[in-house]
Amino acid sequence: MDEKDTIQYKAAELKSGESRESLLQEAESLRMQIRHHEYQYYVLDAPEISDGEYDALTNRLRAIEALYPDEVPPDSPTQRPGGYVAPGFTQVKHMVPMLSLGNVYNAGEMGDFDQRVRSLLPQGTEVSYVLEPKIDGLACSLIYENGWLVRAATRGDGEVGENVTANVRAIKAIPQRLRVPEGEETPELLDVRGEVYMSREAFLRLNEERVEAGETEFANPRNAAAGSLRQLDPAVTARRSLSFFAYYLMGPEEPETQEECLRNLEKYGFTTPEHWCVAHTKEEILRFIEEHDKRRRELAYDTDGAVAKVNAVWQQRLLGATGKDPRWAIAYKYPPEQARTKLEDIVIQVGRTGVLTPAAVLTPVKLSGSTVSRATLHNEDFILEKDIRIGDTVIINKAAEIIPEVLSVVRELRPESAVPFVMPKECPECGWAVARKEGEVAYRCTNPHCPALGREGLIHFASRDAMDIEGCGPAVIGQLLEAELIKTPADLYDLKEEQLLTLDRMGKKSADNLLKAIEKSKQQGLDKLLFALGIRHVGAKGGRLLALQYKTMDALMAASADELSAIKDIGAVIAESVVTWFANPLNRELVERLKKAGLNMEMQAQSVNENHPFYGKTLVFTGTMPTLDRATAQTMAQDAGAKVSGSVSKKTDYVIAGAEAGSKLEKARSLGVTVIDEAEFLRLLGNDGGETAAGQTGTEADGKTPPAQAGETDNAGQAETVSAVEEGNLFAGLE
Ligand code: IVH
């Protein structure tokens, strides 16, 4: 906690001598700016400024309004909780308003909070706090009736939120049904609150896919989580990995402390923030904040601060709230990690799908513990919107706390010699023309044999999420290509030790390790291999879906586009792409060589849980289910290793029947196939053990089925756009 780092927030303090009139004018202008940024953030999930800059604007406005309280209009952003309900979602009124949190930015302000709490409680009261990380996601309220999840809503404006029930069902960390220990009663009504978030890894993967599809990237995991949860099509949410930390619970039986609340949440099957502690003094609070600051970069998800909550619920009650913020809790926000430096150049990188990505070459600068000399500039639109020019002084920050990005330009410091950016007309790798398709933000090289495709394709092939060949990163691939030792991935498996020893800085030990890693990669399995091959539109998840469905490479190669697109979540674009890829003789030859080299061309059994009740089973859905839409339910079943079929036969294991199920249900009954409803489907889905439906139907502890949905949205709507298929052969250019 460096006091220096909090300087920017001090801008909120007022200088003496500023006239009333100019301050009131400034306040009005601040309100307009804040409203604009709230709309960008809450409705469009596309913030134009950092959280720190937004906080600085509101703090400055608050400071002015404090001087002239009579001049504060009732619609000032300071007078109501931030947040909006976007059109397209049904509205849900929260049973109890969803509060926000006040912020503090340094040790002194945290001390003031502690003092205030103590002064408002009866003299001599012992006060303890629970300290939790502040998860950078979006707040969600989950309603459970008789143990079943019946409704989920975003915070919205605090009073009314958006109904995101169908989408929340796709989040695996959120139980569809509470886990109630034997002998305990299922609570009739429970409101669980917490944070929906996206891990940094999932965020990076999603952005990669978006670049590939010519779409704009999300600015950070929080926006990606919000954009993914607030989808009108729940199937889209289902494809994106969201997760959830629970931190609050309201029900008929109130816990006595926040500690107990967290333990109850865990008991019911929720994940609570990983690191939390109880503190009794200001010093202990500050120690947690410092410890968490050291640890947070290593976490798999973003945390932008720490939250201190008065532990005893009776004290929370007594303290109450002011407007939207409780008096019993406060958020300590870490200063945003930003730095200023000079933009020396803009270079173009060509990715494995031919997308040209501009990158900033920076004068090296220290940023949160590391030296940064490169930053992403995303695409041409990003550079033009921010008017970023070579020679500018720029502010960089770390999005997702790992990839630095250029946030803004310091206009006052722009030299006359600054050069505006122009996207090259030719590919820097091969000189072919570049083109931007209508509706896409990305430019691509038009040369199907561009050397960048081969190189980047090889790097992708060896990467961790693909074949996971340790020690085979971009530098080694570059050397291997230069020495003409490899052209295609199959060549990796022919490498000999003596060849490797000819490379720069490659000793015997490294060469041995590399060969071992290459050997080990042969066991990765079909799902990873399909992803590694770089077939357009087949991401990690696509590879898994295809592998689960077809089990072997040979079976997949024999599949037609129609068969493939019948798999849920595969769709016509991916199906076409797969068929086109396998139709190319060069690709078939590549697969043949990989097979000869001994690569495992089958689905790894351990990639799915074989004990899952749906593993390897054939499921048929029929009729309208009360809460799940068909696509989401099918994806969930396939993720558990089930096959989904369109028609009922003797081979069908389960028919999941909803309202107005017709002939399929009749056929299932006549064949004696097990018929279950949505509730049972969800119960089995959440069950990783070896239970079967037959032994369980009707044996629920309380015998209750999920209540019907009141006012559930029909979330039918826009599917994500996927760019058109282009013939892709990553390695053709190297033949
Ligand atoms: S408690 C009345 N605990 O931060 C208490 N909030 O800036 C309300 N948040 O709207 C929230 N991690 O979305 C709480 N451990 C945590 C949190 C947390 C993240 C979010 C939440 C809230 C926002 C306020």
Side-chain angles (χ1 to χ4, degrees):
M1 271 171 299
D2 190 342
E3 300 281 334
K4 266 201 323 269
D5 289 338
T6 63
I7 282 170
Q8 57 184 304
Y9 297 111
K10 298 273 164 70
E13 282 169 16
L14 300 170
K15 292 189 210 90
S16 57
E18 285 178 285
S19 78
R20 173 192 152 96
E21 203 170 314
S22 74
L23 284 171
L24 289 179
Q25 245 175 23
E26 185 189 344
E28 198 39 45
S29 145
L30 285 165
R31 284 181 201 115
M32 277 165 62
Q33 289 177 56
I34 292 167
R35 280 186 202 114
H36 167 80
H37 291 303
E38 285 184 344
Y39 182 76
Q40 291 293 128
Y41 186 92
Y42 290 111
V43 178
L44 304 181
D45 295 322
E48 292 170 345
I49 56 173
S50 68
D51 288 0
E53 286 169 302
Y54 172 83
D55 288 345
L57 291 177
T58 39
N59 289 347
R60 169 90 186 160
L61 177 60
R62 281 214 179 91
I64 300 177
E65 289 184 344
L67 281 183
Y68 307 108
D70 294 343
E71 304 287 346
V72 181
D75 66 342
S76 171
T78 56
Q79 300 304 297
R80 55 152 183 76
Y84 288 85
V85 176
F89 287 94
T90 52
Q91 300 193 348
V92 176
K93 185 159 173 25
H94 298 302
M95 294 196 299
V96 175
M98 286 184 81
L99 296 178
S100 185
L101 288 172
N103 294 325
V104 293
Y105 301 99
N106 55 48
E109 290 173 2
M110 186 49 107
D112 294 346
F113 166 75
D114 176 45
Q115 276 303 310
R116 195 168 62 240
V117 165
R118 290 176 197 277
S119 70
L120 290 170
L121 290 170
Q123 237 187 354
T125 306
E126 270 192 34
V127 181
S128 68
Y129 298 93
V130 166
L131 270 299
E132 295 166 17
K134 186 169 188 300
I135 317 294
D136 204 6
L138 71 156
C140 214
S141 146
L142 312 171
I143 306 295
Y144 287 82
E145 281 177 21
N146 298 313
W148 291 95
L149 174 67
V150 292
R151 205 168 49 248
T154 61
R155 192 167 80 95
D157 64 7
E159 298 285 335
V160 175
E162 297 149 336
N163 185 339
V164 287
T165 314
N167 296 355
V168 155
R169 293 201 190 282
I171 302 175
K172 297 204 175 81
I174 295 181
Q176 303 286 342
R177 171 129 212 234
L178 298 179
R179 221 175 46 191
V180 183
E182 224 172 296
E184 272 192 40
E185 265 196 41
T186 305
E188 259 175 54
L189 186 67
L190 214 61
D191 187 346
V192 172
R193 293 182 177 179
E195 205 79 355
V196 171
Y197 69 94
M198 187 179 277
S199 72
R200 290 180 195 152
E201 201 184 323
F203 160 73
L204 294 175
R205 212 175 332 120
L206 176 61
N207 266 357
E208 252 172 46
E209 284 169 21
R210 290 178 73 87
V211 170
E212 150 79 353
E215 295 163 353
T216 46
E217 292 163 276
F218 285 111
N220 52 48
R222 197 215 77 88
N223 290 110
S228 304
L229 185 66
R230 296 160 75 239
Q231 279 286 336
L232 290 176
D233 179 1
V236 175
T237 313
R239 280 203 294 275
R240 300 191 181 163
S241 310
L242 292 175
S243 207
F244 184 74
F245 279 124
Y247 48 66
Y248 201 64
L249 163 156
M250 271 173 289
E253 279 174 56
E254 286 282 355
E256 286 183 8
T257 59
Q258 173 63 10
E259 256 181 291
E260 196 187 324
C261 167
L262 292 173
R263 298 226 165 83
N264 283 348
L265 285 165
E266 277 167 22
K267 176 183 78 181
Y268 286 139
F270 293 93
T271 317
T272 52
E274 275 178 291
H275 304 275
W276 58 272
C277 77
V278 178
H280 301 87
T281 60
K282 175 188 157 188
E283 287 66 36
E284 285 177 11
I285 297 179
L286 296 175
R287 193 170 327 134
F288 176 87
I289 291 171
E290 266 182 48
E291 278 167 11
H292 188 68
D293 195 19
K294 287 195 195 112
R295 154 174 73 217
R296 68 197 179 105
R297 287 178 197 88
E298 315 301 326
L299 298 178
Y301 47 88
D302 279 3
T303 56
D304 59 343
V307 185
K309 300 176 179 176
V310 168
N311 198 1
V313 170
W314 72 264
Q315 295 175 6
Q316 296 180 0
R317 288 271 155 72
L318 209 64
L319 288 160
T322 49
K324 59 172 182 157
D325 301 333
R327 286 198 199 86
W328 50 269
I330 200 86
Y332 178 97
K333 292 279 251 332
Y334 294 110
E337 307 193 62
Q338 296 180 350
R340 265 186 193 202
T341 187
K342 193 174 156 207
L343 175 66
E344 292 179 355
D345 199 3
I346 296 178
V347 292
I348 302 290
Q349 290 159 342
V350 187
R352 72 184 166 96
T353 56
V355 172
L356 277 67
T357 307
V361 179
L362 306 164
T363 306
V365 62
K366 277 247 170 199
L367 182 58
S368 47
S370 59
T371 304
V372 174
S373 53
R374 286 266 182 149
T376 175
L377 289 167
H378 303 291
N379 52 55
E380 183 187 43
D381 288 359
F382 179 87
I383 299 174
L384 298 182
E385 263 162 35
K386 302 211 166 197
D387 189 19
I388 298 168
R389 302 186 188 186
I390 299 165
D392 268 341
T393 296
V394 291
I395 296 181
I396 56 166
N397 80 338
K398 282 197 170 187
E401 296 180 14
I402 32 179
I403 347 155
E405 82 169 1
V406 173
L407 196 70
S408 58
V409 170
V410 187
R411 284 294 184 86
E412 306 84 84
L413 298 180
R414 172 169 287 167
E416 272 190 24
S417 57
V419 185
F421 172 73
V422 186
M423 194 63 154
K425 304 236 164 352
E426 286 154 9
C427 170
E429 296 267 351
C430 68
W432 278 51
V434 302
R436 178 174 172 168
K437 262 201 229 145
E438 223 182 278
E440 287 198 2
V441 285
Y443 280 84
R444 290 175 201 265
C445 170
T446 52
N447 176 5
H449 306 294
C450 177
L453 305 191
R455 184 190 62 235
E456 298 298 318
L458 280 159
I459 294 170
H460 168 73
F461 183 86
S463 66
R464 198 161 51 123
D465 290 343
M467 299 310 277
D468 193 20
I469 307 179
E470 221 184 303
C472 198
V476 168
I477 296 279
Q479 281 186 298
L480 290 167
L481 279 169
E482 194 143 305
E484 296 188 4
L485 291 175
I486 58 169
K487 284 181 182 164
T488 82
D491 298 328
L492 285 170
Y493 297 94
D494 290 339
L495 286 172
K496 303 275 175 304
E497 185 178 339
E498 54 278 18
Q499 291 176 315
L500 292 180
L501 289 174
T502 63
L503 301 179
D504 262 3
R505 278 173 284 126
M506 180 72 78
K508 184 159 166 32
K509 186 135 198 270
S510 324
D512 281 353
N513 286 341
L514 181 54
L515 289 173
K516 272 193 204 125
I518 292 174
E519 190 59 32
K520 186 168 156 230
S521 75
K522 293 179 180 174
Q523 293 313 316
Q524 278 294 83
L526 185 60
D527 52 341
K528 298 284 165 58
L529 178 58
L530 289 172
F531 174 53
L533 289 172
I535 303 168
R536 279 208 72 187
H537 303 299
V538 178
K541 180 136 188 184
R544 211 163 76 80
L545 286 174
L546 292 169
L548 274 171
Q549 195 76 15
Y550 286 92
K551 305 280 188 293
T552 69
M553 183 69 95
D554 288 341
L556 176 65
M557 284 170 83
S560 71
D562 281 350
E563 280 164 25
L564 289 168
S565 55
I567 307 173
K568 267 298 152 220
D569 266 359
I570 290 294
V573 175
I574 301 178
E576 272 303 324
S577 179
V578 171
V579 169
T580 312
W581 196 89
F582 282 118
N584 185 327
L586 291 175
N587 292 334
R588 294 183 86 91
E589 192 192 313
L590 172 67
V591 171
E592 236 2 85
R593 278 189 63 201
L594 291 173
K595 207 185 275 180
K596 281 217 182 83
L599 268 74
N600 178 3
M601 301 261 163
E602 293 185 3
M603 180 61 187
Q604 293 286 81
Q606 67 263 38
S607 299
V608 291
N609 177 1
E610 287 184 53
N611 291 326
H612 194 283
F614 290 150
Y615 177 79
K617 297 284 193 276
T618 303
L619 270 55
V620 175
F621 290 88
T622 179
T624 313
M625 284 175 280
T627 74
L628 287 174
D629 74 296
R630 188 70 67 84
T632 311
Q634 290 183 345
T635 309
M636 288 166 143
Q638 282 162 344
D639 282 351
K643 265 207 303 234
V644 175
S645 165
S647 57
V648 178
S649 74
K650 268 196 273 181
K651 286 192 188 143
T652 310
D653 295 290
Y654 295 98
V655 167
I656 297 95
E660 285 161 44
S663 60
K664 285 183 196 166
L665 178 59
E666 273 167 36
K667 186 159 181 202
R669 291 214 166 112
S670 70
L671 290 172
V673 173
T674 309
V675 177
I676 58 175
D677 62 2
E678 182 196 77
E680 184 61 9
F681 169 71
L682 289 171
R683 200 187 66 75
L684 287 172
L685 199 70
N687 169 8
D688 285 352
E691 275 178 54
T692 60
Q696 282 295 312
T697 313
T699 59
E700 287 302 335
D702 54 10
K704 285 183 176 127
T705 48
Q709 294 295 288
E712 183 80 17
T713 352
D714 173 14
N715 273 344
Q718 314 125 1
E720 263 186 323
T721 50
V722 187
S723 62
V725 188
E726 283 166 24
E727 197 197 334
N729 174 24
L730 282 180
F731 309 102
L734 298 163
E735 286 297 313

